Amino acid sequence: MIARAVVLPHPPLLVPELVPGSVESTEAVRSACLAAAAELAAAADQWFAVGPGAGARTLGARARGSFAGYGVDVPVALSRDAAGAAEELPLPALIAGWLRERAGANSVRVRLVPPEAGELADAAAELAELDRADDRLGLLVLGDGSNRHGARSPGSQDDRAPAFDDAVAAALGTADTAALRAIDPVLSAELGTGGWAPWQVLAGYAEPGRWSARMLYSGAPFGVRYHVAVWERG
């Protein structure tokens, strides 16, 4: 069964070695992510992660990679016994592995989901199937908010971004699956939101009224809004 779920962003700035001049300014979101990951590890030693991807793909727990493509060769493994040559892993898998290592969990498998209705439904169905299994599992949902907060943001300023992400934060912080499902995919894309597909998978899987949530962090330190929430079974 899925014992606990956490919702996190997946920017490279979570890794201190990648932002040597900005470690202090990124500490708040990093600390929140590490705290959420620690709560997930306390509930389950094995994780399943859902993250955004251009195409559907599942990465097994024995995969290994590195943040070298982001400037520093920080190695990452998706499990304690990962073996074989390192491969080029997508960013959600790298962050999932990095968080796993720091939280002390045994393994994480990563499913990348494109923003397509059929793929979202298949991923939600897989979570439901995993929920029926006997093994305890931690669910990691990876995705960023809008990248258009402020004039210096990566996507340039859009005045619709604050209200959009405030609504996302309210939904994630109260386990409001109906509100998550109601997020406009067109507006989400226009605002450069990376988390829409994973949030839809979570909303499609989680039964309304059976989960409670706590928001640990919601902010936009570099023009991208990041949300960190912990979901518990009610």
Side-chain angles (χ1 to χ4, degrees):
M1 64 172 287
I2 294 176
R4 180 174 288 161
V6 299
V7 183
L8 304 171
H10 63 286
L13 60 79
L14 294 181
V15 183
E17 293 89 338
L18 304 184
V19 287
S22 303
V23 173
E24 291 186 3
S25 57
T26 56
E27 180 58 30
V29 63
R30 181 182 304 109
S31 293
C33 288
L34 291 174
E39 290 197 41
L40 194 63
D45 198 40
Q46 299 183 59
W47 296 355
F48 187 87
V50 178
R57 181 184 178 189
T58 298
L59 295 150
R62 295 183 66 80
R64 297 172 60 244
S66 167
F67 283 98
Y70 294 89
V72 181
D73 185 14
V74 179
V76 166
L78 299 192
S79 68
R80 291 173 183 158
D81 59 353
E87 58 183 291
E88 186 174 343
L89 298 180
L91 182 58
L94 290 172
I95 292 296
W98 184 81
L99 289 168
R100 177 206 68 79
E101 292 175 352
R102 274 134 198 87
N106 180 63
S107 66
V108 58
R109 288 179 292 146
V110 182
R111 177 162 180 165
L112 303 180
V113 184
E116 301 169 6
E119 295 293 347
L120 299 177
D122 287 347
E126 181 175 8
L127 292 185
E129 183 177 349
L130 292 171
D131 203 18
R132 291 190 290 268
D134 292 333
D135 294 338
R136 290 177 65 84
L137 196 68
L139 175 60
L140 186 63
V141 181
L142 297 163
D144 302 344
S146 171
N147 68 359
R148 305 193 68 174
H149 290 270
R152 296 185 178 182
S153 61
S156 75
Q157 182 171 340
D158 191 309
D159 292 340
R160 300 172 296 175
F164 173 85
D165 268 310
D166 286 347
V168 170
L172 292 175
T174 58
D176 189 338
T177 55
L180 287 177
R181 286 194 299 271
I183 297 172
D184 184 348
V186 175
L187 177 60
S188 178
E190 291 175 353
L191 293 177
T193 304
W196 182 82
W199 300 335
Q200 293 303 306
V201 173
L202 174 62
Y205 147 72
E207 294 183 28
R210 296 194 62 182
W211 294 80
S212 61
R214 291 178 288 114
M215 181 64 70
L216 302 188
Y217 175 90
S218 185
F222 290 102
V224 183
R225 188 80 171 262
Y226 302 129
H227 308 289
V228 181
V230 176
W231 285 35
E232 305 278 4
R233 286 183 177 274

